[in-house]
């Protein structure tokens, strides 16, 4: 009988421009590691990172609580969380913990849960951080690759990304406001023009086609969003310069990673990712903001280690 399980789950980027709340991509940039151990009773979280330790307020704790209830598990659980994904930068930090917790719980209690249901449980964890359930980051972090979250009926569709796809991410050194996700949602328009919706939909459809055809250029050049990005970009100092510089340095497409403030550039192996990163750094410097950059590839998702 299994008494403990360790799972690593990756960072992720949500939206990919026009796919707001629908698209996600797992990123081989940072990982959270969670060890779940059976105990006598109750749910306890241990971590030396600055995250909430109360189960209901921690994305992983909330997942374990819900799964314990749903599967009528009698045993208690201890969660040991090692954060690798920086929290609040638009890289799916709470989602990585939630995904790792769902996959670890499934393995620990030998439940054999199907992938859609695993994502549903992981999504519950987002209530602890974002205040509402959303599945784009958790789906990517759990299953890996590029994911499309269909909500009605609920279904997560995974597509294997092309091997040539490379991502350059600039993570600005900014203070993250409390309730960042709620703030970045509050600036979004309540209504949109039909013509804007058509333009975004055409780009979103081309992104899916690009992943299906393994065509990096089609993916990258379709990362264009005229609805969410214009409403949010003022929250990121230097955004337009970072984007302009990255495109000039050869990026195919550039957008806000999730709710920001990180900015992600899509490019191919044959471009010069280092040049794109230094162009993004200069863009942030124009607004007197320092940033860290990282070059990465898509990840295969959460794994038991
Ligand atoms: P991002 O996707 O930008 O990383 P998140 O949705 O992960 O943002 O939100 C980060 C917030 O979630 C932080 O304020 C943090 O306190 C809270 N949070 C709750 N549980 C966790 C967790 N296990 N890991 C990281 N952040 C968590």
């Amino acid at each position: 009988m299994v008494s403990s399980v360790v799972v690593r789950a990756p960072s992720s980027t949500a939206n990919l421009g026009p796919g707001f709340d629908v698209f996600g991509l797992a990123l081989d940039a940072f990982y959270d590691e969670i060890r779940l151990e059976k105990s006598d009773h109750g749910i306890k979280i241990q971590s030396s990172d600055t995250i909430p330790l109360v189960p209901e307020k921690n994305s992983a704790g909330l997942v374990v609580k819900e799964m314990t209830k749903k599967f009528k598990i009698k045993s208690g659980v201890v969660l040991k969380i090692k954060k690798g994904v920086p929290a609040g930068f638009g890289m799916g930090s709470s989602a990585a913990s939630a995904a790792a917790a769902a996959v670890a719980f499934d393995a620990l209690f030998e439940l054999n849960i199907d992938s859609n249901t695993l994502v549903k449980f992981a999504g519950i964890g987002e209530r602890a951080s974002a205040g509402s359930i959303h599945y784009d980051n958790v789906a990517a972090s759990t299953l890996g690759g590029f994911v499309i979250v269909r909500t009605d009926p609920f279904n997560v569709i995974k597509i294997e990304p092309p091997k040539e796809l490379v991502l350059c991410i600039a993570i600005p050194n900014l203070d993250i406001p409390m309730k960042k996700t709620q703030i970045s949602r509050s600036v979004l328009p309540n209504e949109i023009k039909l013509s804007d919706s058509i333009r975004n939909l055409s780009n979103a459809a081309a992104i899916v086609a690009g992943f299906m055809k393994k065509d990096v250029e089609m993916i990258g050049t379709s990362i264009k969003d005229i609805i969410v990005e214009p409403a949010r970009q003022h929250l990121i100092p230097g955004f337009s310069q970072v984007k302009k510089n990255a495109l000039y340095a050869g990026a195919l497409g550039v957008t806000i990673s999730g709710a920001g403030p990180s900015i992600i550039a899509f490019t191919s192996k044959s471009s010069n990712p280092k040049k794109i990163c230094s162009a993004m750094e200069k863009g942030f410097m124009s607004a007197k903001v320092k940033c860290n950059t990282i070059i990465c590839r898509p990840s295969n998702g959460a794994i038991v280690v």
Side-chain angles (χ1 to χ4, degrees):
M1 214 175 62
V2 192
S3 62
S4 76
V5 168
V6 179
V7 170
R8 263 158 58 90
S11 46
S12 56
T13 187
N15 305 342
L16 290 87
F20 182 68
D21 273 1
V22 174
F23 292 169
L25 179 68
L27 299 173
D28 191 10
F30 306 102
Y31 285 81
D32 276 11
E33 194 175 286
I34 298 195
R35 181 184 193 89
L36 284 197
E37 287 171 6
K38 287 182 186 166
S39 66
D40 288 345
H41 67 273
I43 298 166
K44 281 200 186 69
I45 300 177
Q46 299 172 358
S47 179
S48 54
D49 299 293
T50 43
I51 49 169
L53 298 179
V54 178
E56 295 75 19
K57 295 205 167 134
N58 186 296
S59 58
L62 192 55
V63 170
V64 168
K65 190 177 168 187
E66 289 293 323
M67 292 180 86
T68 300
K69 199 161 89 188
K70 183 78 188 175
F71 294 99
K72 301 187 169 59
I73 302 288
K74 298 278 178 288
S75 153
V77 178
V78 177
L79 293 87
K80 297 184 176 167
I81 306 178
K82 267 196 226 161
K83 291 296 299 176
V85 186
F89 287 89
M91 308 277 299
S93 182
S94 56
S97 291
V103 172
F105 196 94
D106 178 50
L108 184 63
F109 294 102
E110 298 167 280
L111 300 169
N112 274 320
I113 302 170
D114 66 273
S115 55
N116 272 341
T117 311
L118 264 186
V119 172
K120 274 227 136 175
F121 279 114
I124 294 171
E126 292 288 47
R127 224 172 41 218
S129 57
S132 57
I133 297 179
H134 56 107
Y135 299 100
D136 41 11
N137 287 108
V138 289
S141 198
T142 306
L143 306 181
F146 172 68
V147 293
I148 302 165
V149 179
R150 192 174 169 216
T151 32
D152 188 18
F154 185 82
N155 188 18
V156 180
I157 301 150
K158 176 184 168 178
I159 308 174
E160 210 60 62
K163 299 225 176 331
E164 294 73 29
L165 181 63
V166 172
L167 299 314
C168 299
I169 307 162
I171 307 166
N173 207 338
L174 294 169
D175 288 334
I176 303 300
M178 294 284 286
K179 301 193 184 282
K180 179 212 77 181
T181 305
Q182 285 96 319
I183 294 170
S184 53
R185 280 183 178 262
S186 72
V187 299
L188 301 179
N190 288 325
E191 289 177 3
I192 53 170
K193 279 203 329 224
L194 182 62
S195 57
D196 288 352
S197 150
I198 292 168
R199 274 177 70 188
N200 261 30
L201 180 59
S202 68
N203 280 314
I207 290 173
V208 174
F211 276 101
M212 294 294 294
K213 288 163 162 279
K214 311 272 181 252
D215 183 334
V216 174
E217 191 154 338
M218 187 179 286
I219 297 167
T221 54
S222 308
I223 306 279
K224 287 197 183 104
D225 163 29
I226 58 164
I227 297 172
V228 174
E229 189 181 294
R232 279 184 171 172
Q233 64 181 48
H234 69 279
L235 299 172
I236 308 172
F239 175 81
S240 49
Q241 199 59 47
V242 174
K243 180 169 176 171
K244 206 165 132 192
N245 286 5
L247 291 170
Y248 192 72
L252 297 166
V254 180
T255 194
I256 302 169
S257 184
S262 298
I263 300 177
I264 184 162
F266 289 70
T267 187
S268 78
K269 254 188 193 163
S270 56
S271 72
N272 188 341
K274 280 192 185 148
K275 189 173 159 197
I276 294 170
C277 284
S278 72
M280 293 171 94
E281 279 166 26
K282 286 192 188 115
F284 268 124
M285 278 316 286
S286 72
K288 300 193 169 43
V289 174
K290 287 197 177 134
C291 73
N292 293 313
T293 53
I294 184 158
I295 299 167
C296 67
R297 299 237 323 103
S299 159
N300 291 328
I303 47 160
V304 177
V305 291

